[in-house]
Amino acid sequence: MIIDVHAHPYFLKEMCGSEEQVKFRRDNFGLYKIALQDIDLFKRQIAAAGIDKVVLLPLDLSSTAGGTLMSNHDMKYLEDLAPDTFICFGSIDPNSKTALSDLRTLIKDFGLKGINFNPSSQHFFPNDKAILYPVYEIAQKYNVPICFHMGMSWEPNSLLQYANPLLLENVAKDFPDLKFSISHFGWPWVVESCILAMKYTNVYIDTSMLYFDSPREFFKYVFSSQIQPSWIDRSLSNKVLFGSNYPRIEQLRMREALEYAGFREETLHKILELNPIRFLNLQGE
Amino acid sequence: MTKIYSKAIKTSQSIQMIRMGNIVSDIVQESSIQTGVVNIITLHTTTGITVNEGLDCLELDIVDLLKKLVPDEGPYVHAHFLPSYGRTSANATSHLRGLLLGNNAIFPIQNGKVLFGGAQEIYLVELDGPQERKISIVVSGD
Ligand SMILES: [Zn+2]
């Protein structure tokens, strides 16, 4: 069962109501010319990439942009449209007064499978104990994994000062049973991401990074110039998750990039299947 | 008289050859035009329209040839972040393969029917799929 742990559903036709809603998503996600596509076409693309399940990530930008890219209620509705294929996360705005109650609703009422944060576009420091630690306590209690968008984000209102993966070290140490992933491989802080994932059992890294050149070229650069394929093969094979960052790039191209990055076959199997299954608590399925 | 029809086709593979002959024949019949020409035109830059013999083996050879002439990996300049799109252009190969095929085919219409040669089939060639593609079919004549 091959799982893409990082995709965004903002431009699926079934989830696009008004033109203003689509414009809000384009402007705040920073993806301007994409055509809306229906779930049937998305499923064809998922199949063409040889993927079985996709984690879909929403984002609550209430404080910084005055709205959500997709609400938790919509994520629940979306998961029910294709429960065999979609694994839907929820999102809360840590700067909102209702953050903790939103989190409980997301977990208990909607049964969403994880939480997505983007500190750089939600404008918070993930190591802020006063604001974030109560959130992490609840997530840890219910064994809900967290996806942290770290490193470079393309959202226009995102700031790198919030995005250094090292901001997550206290979280990793203080919440040892809270599983979380560093998205975008934390790029450009790739070595920092590797260090955290190596040292802390609860820290994962996802591969949703594309900043220069083609996916194949960029993966080759990161995995043979910034770090070594052997680092992943020998020390981190259990900690890396395949993530595409669809629709900013096609899943097929990101999967091919991963397969050409120079890892051992066993490592690829772990990145594409075994690690996402463990991260997402899907062992029984 | 000229009539313009449009056809939406959802593809299912990254590269795929889709036979269009029957679709075009049906549209020509629907147009009631007896003598003239029909143009089959794609509205995209990462598809092609071409004519060849409708055989599975040739379809494989054509795809192989496109991949050989435009290899998956190469120093393509169209591989960078496009600020106006908000995403990376990663489909140089799709554009360049499309260049080799062209965007249209044209056939005569005689006695209300498309005049195909004995072996001819019209193909829409998907080069960056799966996608939803739009084809324009223009029927002109009397
Ligand atoms: Zn993302």
Side-chain angles (χ1 to χ4, degrees):
Chain A
M1 180 166 66
I2 290 178
I3 303 175
D4 174 359
V5 303
H6 192 131
H8 300 283
Y10 309 136
F11 303 100
L12 295 176
K13 248 180 211 165
E14 288 85 345
M15 306 308 295
C16 291
S18 62
E19 267 178 41
E20 299 90 86
Q21 188 180 44
V22 175
K23 184 175 180 330
F24 180 85
R25 290 178 187 172
R26 286 191 200 285
D27 290 347
N28 288 286
F29 188 60
L31 189 56
Y32 307 107
K33 287 196 184 174
I34 187 174
L36 303 186
Q37 60 173 69
D38 61 23
I39 289 175
D40 173 68
L41 180 58
F42 185 32
K43 281 185 163 180
R44 287 169 189 244
Q45 293 169 347
I46 292 166
I51 292 167
D52 300 298
K53 284 179 186 278
V54 180
V55 173
L56 295 169
L57 307 168
L59 196 60
D60 187 337
L61 294 174
S62 298
S63 312
T64 53
T68 61
L69 289 180
M70 198 171 291
S71 71
N72 294 330
H73 180 275
D74 283 353
M75 293 306 291
K76 170 65 182 150
Y77 174 80
L78 176 59
E79 188 167 87
D80 290 342
L81 292 179
D84 293 338
T85 310
F86 296 163
I87 299 169
C88 287
F89 276 34
S91 174
I92 58 165
D93 179 353
N95 291 312
S96 154
K97 288 202 173 80
T98 59
L100 291 181
S101 64
D102 291 347
L103 178 61
R104 287 195 190 91
T105 305
L106 171 173
I107 297 171
K108 289 176 162 176
D109 297 347
F110 295 140
L112 296 172
K113 307 299 189 298
I115 309 160
N116 180 43
F117 286 114
N118 189 330
S120 61
S121 58
Q122 293 179 301
H123 295 187
F124 71 89
F125 288 100
N127 57 352
D128 184 326
K129 290 191 180 180
I131 296 179
L132 271 306
Y133 272 35
V135 170
Y136 301 148
E137 263 159 33
I138 293 172
Q140 181 173 255
K141 179 178 166 197
Y142 289 99
N143 192 23
V144 175
I146 294 179
C147 165
F148 284 106
H149 280 67
M150 300 305 279
M152 162 86 174
S153 275
W154 288 113
E155 282 87 348
N157 191 29
S158 61
L159 292 168
L160 283 161
Q161 62 168 331
Y162 300 109
N164 190 317
L166 291 183
L167 294 169
L168 293 168
E169 180 168 22
N170 282 328
V171 184
K173 183 173 74 65
D174 294 339
F175 297 91
D177 295 324
L178 174 66
K179 279 185 286 191
F180 66 82
S181 68
I182 300 170
S183 278
H184 303 163
F185 224 91
W187 196 91
W189 296 290
V190 172
V191 174
E192 286 84 343
S193 301
C194 288
I195 291 166
L196 290 185
M198 189 164 65
K199 184 170 175 191
Y200 298 98
T201 54
N202 51 334
V203 178
Y204 291 74
I205 315 173
D206 91 33
T207 64
S208 59
M209 55 170 170
L210 177 56
Y211 300 98
F212 292 102
D213 302 323
S214 70
R216 287 189 196 201
E217 289 166 323
F218 191 66
F219 274 43
K220 257 188 196 149
Y221 158 70
V222 169
F223 292 119
S224 32
S225 295
Q226 286 196 281
I227 63 171
Q228 292 294 321
S230 59
W231 291 19
I232 308 296
D233 280 333
R234 298 173 194 171
S235 301
L236 293 167
S237 70
N238 294 318
K239 305 307 286 292
V240 178
L241 309 166
F242 169 60
S244 68
N245 210 17
Y246 163 95
R248 221 179 276 284
I249 186 68
E250 291 78 17
Q251 294 168 304
L252 175 63
R253 293 201 163 93
M254 293 300 271
R255 172 147 185 211
E256 284 174 350
L258 182 72
E259 306 223 351
Y260 282 86
F263 302 128
R264 295 175 62 91
E265 273 302 313
E266 302 84 341
T267 303
L268 283 174
H269 177 53
K270 288 179 174 179
I271 294 173
L272 288 163
E273 303 195 57
L274 302 185
N275 300 344
I277 287 171
R278 186 173 354 100
F279 179 72
L280 295 163
N281 305 312
L282 299 176
Q283 287 92 340
E285 296 187 18
Chain B
M1 183 174 34
T2 297
K3 291 184 178 176
I4 300 183
Y5 299 83
S6 72
K7 192 86 200 160
I9 293 169
K10 263 189 200 159
T11 59
S12 56
Q13 294 163 33
S14 60
I15 300 186
Q16 186 180 356
M17 299 200 52
I18 297 135
R19 298 182 193 191
M20 300 278 298
N22 287 340
I23 293 170
V24 174
S25 292
D26 290 349
I27 285 173
V28 166
Q29 200 161 358
E30 191 187 324
S31 75
S32 306
I33 286 172
Q34 296 298 303
T35 306
V37 290
V38 56
N39 284 271
I40 303 96
I41 304 159
T42 172
L43 302 185
H44 304 276
T45 54
T46 55
T47 60
I49 300 277
T50 194
V51 176
N52 218 290
E53 186 163 5
L55 292 172
D56 293 348
C57 49
L58 270 171
E59 291 172 7
L60 294 174
D61 288 335
I62 290 167
V63 171
D64 283 352
L65 177 69
L66 290 172
K67 286 185 173 175
K68 196 171 139 191
L69 293 173
V70 183
D72 285 335
E73 272 185 275
Y76 303 111
V77 183
H78 183 68
H80 62 100
F81 187 75
L82 287 168
S84 62
Y85 280 75
R87 58 158 290 161
T88 293
S89 63
N91 61 351
T93 54
S94 314
H95 286 281
L96 298 178
R97 288 165 187 161
L99 175 81
L100 301 174
L101 295 168
N103 79 328
N104 70 92
I106 183 165
F107 275 86
I109 299 169
Q110 194 177 54
N111 300 325
K113 288 202 163 80
V114 184
L115 189 62
F116 286 115
Q120 282 181 316
E121 174 62 89
I122 305 165
Y123 284 100
L124 163 67
V125 187
E126 171 62 79
L127 299 164
D128 194 13
Q131 283 295 336
E132 182 161 350
R133 299 305 196 172
K134 289 198 185 73
I135 307 301
S136 186
I137 296 166
V138 184
V139 193
S140 300
D142 306 309

